[in-house]
Amino acid sequence: MSQESRFLTLLRLLANDPAAQGLMDDVAILPVGDTRLILTSDTMVEGVHYLPTDPPADIGWKLAAVNLSDLAAKGARPVGCLLNYALSGDEDWDAAFIAGLGEALDRHAMPLLGGDTVAMPPASARSYSLTAIGEATGPIPTRKGAQPGDILYVTGPVGDAGIGLDLARADAAASGPLVDAYRRPRPRLAEGALLAPHASAMMDLSDGLLIDTQRMGQASGVAIIIDHIPLSPALEKARGASTAVQIAAARAGDDYELLFTMPRGLAPPVRAIPVGRVSAGAGLTLMIDGAIVPLPDRLGWEHG
Amino acid sequence: MSQESRFLTLLRLLANDPAAQGLMDDVAILPVGDTRLILTSDTMVEGVHYLPTDPPADIGWKLAAVNLSDLAAKGARPVGCLLNYALSGDEDWDAAFIAGLGEALDRHAMPLLGGDTVAMPPASARSYSLTAIGEATGPIPTRKGAQPGDILYVTGPVGDAGIGLDLARADAAASGPLVDAYRRPRPRLAEGALLAPHASAMMDLSDGLLIDTQRMGQASGVAIIIDHIPLSPALEKARGASTAVQIAAARAGDDYELLFTMPRGLAPPVRAIPVGRVSAGAGLTLMIDGAIVPLPDRLGWEHG
């Protein structure tokens, strides 16, 4: 049990309000009158969630995007957000961060409502938090609803951001679609709102296809077989499509596509790629080119 | 203009939703159906907002208390909060922090609904944010409503926390009411709810009586004369009540009493100490023992 897991156990004892959902989901659901608010908060730490060499505008964009992605997975409409910002000591850097954050917020009609700005001691890693509030537009999907017979889908290819991170780590000036996938993820808000009334289960792909699918299967009490790992043309061009590359793509985090299930025979209302199927039982199975492949030791990004 | 002031200017360009109130208040006010939500977020940084030697339970308590104090100043009822937590690497420390946080949340009926937990790089200062959501219970006072003829009040003595910080800095094992005032501030939620319908202006005293009164006067477009600096028996016993001690108390932050104005002739519905009066004009005047005293160069805690 990781340090974070033990800590979460403590937090769950405290978070006993129904809106907290036992801290088992990525969001809280708070009823206010006839409205159901969706609450989420994500922190990005220098050297942990982004590279110190990443452009500040991209770090600001990504902080907005990862929070918006949590709202997308609930089919929620953005309502407002609060920013906790650690000054860098470099005004141009701070201005670029806010420009990138603002670009992502504007693009997704997410108002900035407040927050707090602090100075950190010198030489300290900086961290940024955004707390995002959304409003449910209809049924709120969870990761718990996958049913035997459902098909598992993603809204786009996986693994680009993982390769993009490798490229950016090797060369801070690297560019192209893979680096963009890592630095400028696109939250699937429109897709999420269209999918929410139809998906039996839904979550965003933040930690990797394998580990997030495993979590969905565990939460739903079902077995899931992944039988297709969709790669982008850019990824295939850079790395090919060997079994090792496919497994690496399925373990890579930061994709922020939506992962969802729908009953077989229903067509998803958005562009989506079938990647597997749900059956009775338990456990995650990975098939590549029609053959079962042993799961890697580490399925994806595990926090803490 | 401080680094934080310049940064806030940038943020204000982005935060153009009416709910953000131009980032000129401590909170955002978000209408949701017939409900007005009060949103606030405060970050505490190791070595900046608390001492690394402060007991973790007290740091957790204080993080809850400073956010609850912002709700108190709006007369708001706590609805829920989200925590952004940086793991310490020491499970006992983390458990004690959460125990102290939980004690403050439980005492004020504030549910913990979610958040995010991260690991920081080694040797990095840690920081914690809490985003608090409250619900307005009636009229929402701001710092802008003070009128000529009003009396200025505080809900308790000032300066205890400032002396407590000095004592804790000199000796981490120091204890007593002054250290408690610094480490375990009490948010005035009950007082805030009772005062909100009657106060012409209200805010919490986070940065010091002088600077916060100056802000209220500027926001309201009035002159304010402070003619009394209320000291606690514990402070007088420790430091006496000289003019220098009174000025130091009026410059000290972290009191978290409520500062409010009401028309002369009305009696506040809670225990409150008159400390000054509002008149037409502009500017802050300090009188001690009936004589005008020059304002100190630094009026209180200024961020950034």
Side-chain angles (χ1 to χ4, degrees), chain A residues 119-121, chain B residues 44-53 124-128:
Chain A
M120 300 287 291
Chain B
M44 285 175 53
V45 178
E46 183 180 4
V48 178
H49 303 92
Y50 66 92
L51 302 172
T53 51
S124 198
R126 280 165 280 141
S127 69
Y128 312 97

Side-chain angles (χ1 to χ4, degrees), chain A residues 212-228:
Chain A
D212 285 331
T213 300
Q214 185 184 57
R215 290 168 180 157
M216 182 183 279
Q218 284 171 346
S220 300
V222 295
I224 305 186
I225 298 164
I226 293 177
D227 56 17
H228 176 54

Side-chain angles (χ1 to χ4, degrees), chain A residues 3 6-7 10 14-15 20 28 37 41-43 48-49 84-85 89 91 95 98 102 112-113 115-116 119 124-125 127 129 131, chain B residues 3 6-7 10-11 14-15 20 28 37 41-43 48 84-85 89 91 95 98 102 112-113 115-116 118-119 124-125 127 129 131:
Chain A
Q3 195 190 350
R6 277 185 289 255
F7 184 73
L10 280 181
L14 187 54
L37 294 183
S41 191
D42 277 296
T43 300
V48 178
H49 303 94
N84 300 87
Y85 190 78
E91 289 185 18
I98 294 305
L112 177 67
L113 302 184
D116 195 14
S124 197
S127 69
S129 299
T131 300
Chain B
Q3 194 190 352
R6 278 184 288 256
F7 184 74
L10 280 180
L11 280 184
L14 186 55
L37 293 183
S41 190
D42 278 296
T43 299
V48 178
N84 300 88
Y85 189 78
E91 290 184 17
I98 294 305
L112 177 68
L113 302 183
D116 196 14
V118 298
S124 198
S127 69
S129 298
T131 300

